[in-house]
Amino acid sequence: EQLVESGGGLVQSGGSLTLSCVASEYMYRSYCMAWFREAPGKEREGLAVLDADGTTIYADSIKGRFNISQDDARRTLYLQMNNLHFEDTAMYYCAADFFICNRMRAAVYYNYWGQGTQVTVSP
């Protein structure tokens, strides 16, 4: 597997979680890495992207609460999630591809995905 997420779980409203996505050496050379989420009955939603030059873009729904970062030595992408709301409950996915992240792109543009990690926020 080229992208492997972890870190999901059950957390109370207002709590925090940090998701991790370990990338293969090949995938970590991609230009764009991103976090998405998909709640039951809803479309897969882009949350944050990180370009190869360090540029970050966030969706309005999570801006100010979530932070995307990376650790090159560990080939790992992170999503720090703070002040979680019940509405943040979803399956969270890491995605990557070899294009420049100059904007938030829809899920259909990404060809490489992890298996997902479930985040459940209790009211």
Side-chain angles (χ1 to χ4, degrees):
E1 294 179 347
Q2 304 208 60
L3 297 168
V4 180
E5 302 99 332
S6 63
L10 174 64
V11 63
Q12 289 185 334
S13 181
S16 299
L17 278 176
T18 298
L19 306 183
S20 300
C21 172
V22 179
S24 66
E25 188 171 347
Y26 171 72
M27 285 314 311
Y28 206 70
R29 295 192 217 117
S30 63
Y31 297 148
C32 183
M33 298 189 75
W35 285 100
F36 285 77
R37 69 184 178 191
E38 186 171 338
K42 294 188 177 181
E43 291 188 356
R44 193 164 294 192
E45 173 192 13
L47 301 175
V49 298
L50 177 62
D51 202 357
D53 66 359
T55 301
T56 58
I57 302 172
Y58 293 93
D60 289 341
S61 60
I62 55 90
K63 197 174 292 184
R65 297 191 296 125
F66 291 10
N67 183 68
I68 189 171
S69 63
Q70 65 185 32
D71 182 333
D72 290 338
R74 298 175 185 264
R75 296 202 311 272
T76 301
L77 182 74
Y78 299 100
L79 185 68
Q80 171 69 40
M81 306 186 294
N82 299 315
N83 189 21
L84 284 162
H85 306 156
F86 174 73
E87 294 74 23
D88 294 317
T89 295
M91 185 71 79
Y92 284 69
Y93 296 92
C94 172
D97 216 308
F98 294 86
F99 48 69
I100 296 172
C101 295
N102 54 4
R103 58 185 174 90
M104 190 76 73
R105 296 175 189 264
V108 67
Y109 289 97
Y110 289 82
N111 288 299
Y112 302 94
W113 292 88
Q115 81 288 354
T117 185
Q118 177 68 37
V119 172
T120 302
V121 184
S122 61

